[in-house]
């Protein structure tokens, strides 16, 4: 079973996170630290104890923006350890996802933390540590709405119409959905959205971009380079996707 450390400078958030972790049957113990310095001392003690010692820690659930040493700084320090614990970032800010996955984070959970979303992060950590035999807690399963995608930010759940999405950008294990009114980060790989939305007119133009054909305003050719104009943004088209894209645009009603 996982041994977890939660790190957050906001006491109510920290207590809630520790409570939710202790309620998960895959977590053996969960304790809290109120800042990165305290967490680093606790992790050093865990490393001295060894992976099977009484003070061992398997995974750290880490806030990003904290006074002094922040969560990204702490994660960078951990990458220099011989056997560091896994890291799951838990934050109210979606803008650090790329940096988080560059640091080999297991997951990136947005606040306010929902128990279902935290359970998914625990599952990923348990699989990485090879302790996934304990069954996960069961939550109600709802079929996805094919016309909308659910996004969450700052405690607000929004249902974004798929037809309003102009293009999608890969950001690690996440995807950023772009609309005329802004963008949203979702925990879905680009390849999954490509398969799900192919019938709705979305086409891959690059390993990082999926575009809705209806929102392409121009196809541009310049010295062998191909790009498309989506709204006011110009996106490059890779060579392997250029021919298919031209054919689809020619057949577009």
């Amino acid at each position: 079973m996982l041994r977890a450390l939660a790190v957050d400078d906001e006491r109510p958030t920290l207590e809630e996170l520790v409570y939710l972790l202790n309620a998960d049957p895959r977590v053996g113990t969960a304790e809290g630290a109120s800042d990165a310095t305290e967490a680093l001392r606790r992790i050093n003690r865990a490393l001295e104890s060894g992976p099977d010692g009484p003070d061992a820690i398997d995974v750290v659930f880490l806030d990003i923006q904290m006074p002094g040493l922040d969560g990204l700084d702490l994660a960078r320090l951990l990458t220099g350890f011989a056997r560091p614990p896994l890291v799951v970032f838990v934050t109210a800010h979606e803008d650090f996802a790329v940096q988080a996955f560059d640091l080999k984070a297991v997951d990136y959970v947005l606040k306010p933390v929902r128990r279902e979303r935290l359970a998914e992060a625990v599952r990923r950590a348990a699989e990485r540590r090879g302790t996934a035999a304990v069954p996960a807690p069961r939550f109600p399963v709802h079929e996805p709405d094919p016309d909308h995608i659910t996004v969450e930010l700052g405690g607000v759940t929004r249902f974004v119409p798929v037809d309003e999405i102009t293009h999608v950008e890969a950001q690690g294990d996440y995807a950023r959905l772009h609309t005329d009114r802004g963008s949203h980060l979702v925990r879905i790989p680009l390849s999954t959205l490509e398969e799900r939305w192919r019938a709705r007119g979305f086409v891959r133009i690059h390993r990082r971009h999926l575009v809705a054909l209806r929102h392409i305003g121009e196809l541009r050719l310049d010295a062998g380079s191909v790009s498309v104009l989506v709204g006011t943004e110009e996106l490059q088209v890779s060579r392997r996707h250029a021919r298919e894209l031209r054919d689809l645009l020619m057949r577009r009603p």
Side-chain angles (χ1 to χ4, degrees):
M1 298 178 73
L2 289 174
R3 296 154 295 187
L5 175 67
V7 187
D8 200 302
D9 62 308
E10 297 179 354
R11 177 58 61 179
T13 302
L14 179 62
E15 291 176 352
E16 176 70 7
L17 185 55
V18 170
Y19 170 79
L20 291 174
L21 288 170
N22 277 316
D24 193 301
R26 294 161 298 187
V27 177
T29 60
E31 56 186 295
S34 58
D35 58 50
T37 302
E38 180 186 349
L40 189 57
R41 287 196 295 264
R42 178 63 184 87
I43 293 167
N44 275 319
R45 192 164 79 246
L47 295 174
E48 291 172 359
S49 176
D52 299 317
D55 292 324
I57 293 174
D58 297 306
V59 55
V60 179
F61 291 81
L62 183 58
D63 189 20
I64 288 183
Q65 292 196 330
M66 296 183 290
L69 194 69
D70 69 21
L72 292 171
D73 293 332
L74 177 56
R76 291 189 187 97
L77 287 174
L78 294 181
T79 61
F81 291 13
R83 190 180 171 86
L86 302 173
V87 172
V88 173
F89 285 103
V90 183
T91 176
H93 305 278
E94 63 176 35
D95 299 332
F96 300 103
V98 174
Q99 296 176 61
F101 287 109
D102 284 344
L103 292 168
K104 310 303 181 186
V106 172
D107 209 342
Y108 191 91
V109 179
L110 290 175
K111 297 178 182 177
V113 178
R114 295 181 296 110
R115 58 175 186 166
E116 299 94 333
R117 184 64 186 85
L118 186 64
E120 171 62 15
V122 171
R123 182 192 68 78
R124 291 172 180 270
E127 284 187 349
R128 191 77 66 88
R129 273 289 183 256
T131 58
V134 178
R138 293 184 176 272
F139 303 108
V141 176
H142 303 284
E143 291 297 323
D145 177 356
D147 295 324
H148 296 79
I149 185 167
T150 304
V151 300
E152 297 188 19
L153 180 61
V156 177
T157 300
R158 296 176 182 170
F159 302 93
V160 177
V162 174
D163 288 345
E164 291 186 4
I165 297 169
T166 59
H167 61 289
V168 186
E169 179 183 3
Q171 293 191 345
D173 287 346
Y174 283 73
R176 183 171 293 279
L177 312 176
H178 293 268
T179 72
D180 290 338
R181 293 184 288 180
S183 68
H184 310 277
L185 196 68
V186 294
R187 184 69 162 87
I188 306 175
L190 191 67
S191 57
T192 299
L193 293 177
E194 179 184 12
E195 182 176 347
R196 184 184 300 177
W197 291 344
R198 184 178 292 115
R200 302 185 69 100
F202 282 80
V203 59
R204 180 76 75 102
I205 65 167
H206 189 275
R207 63 183 178 83
R208 291 192 58 213
H209 288 112
L210 187 68
V211 173
L213 288 173
R214 71 180 71 86
H215 290 291
I216 294 178
E218 294 180 7
L219 178 68
R220 296 178 174 180
L221 305 175
D222 183 17
S225 176
V226 181
S227 63
V228 291
L229 190 67
V230 181
T232 60
E233 189 169 355
E234 185 174 2
L235 303 174
Q236 291 299 310
V237 181
S238 66
R239 288 185 177 181
R240 62 175 295 196
H241 296 294
R243 181 185 295 275
E244 178 189 7
L245 178 63
R246 285 198 299 266
D247 291 344
L248 288 170
L249 288 173
M250 289 295 291
R251 296 197 303 266
R252 184 174 64 174

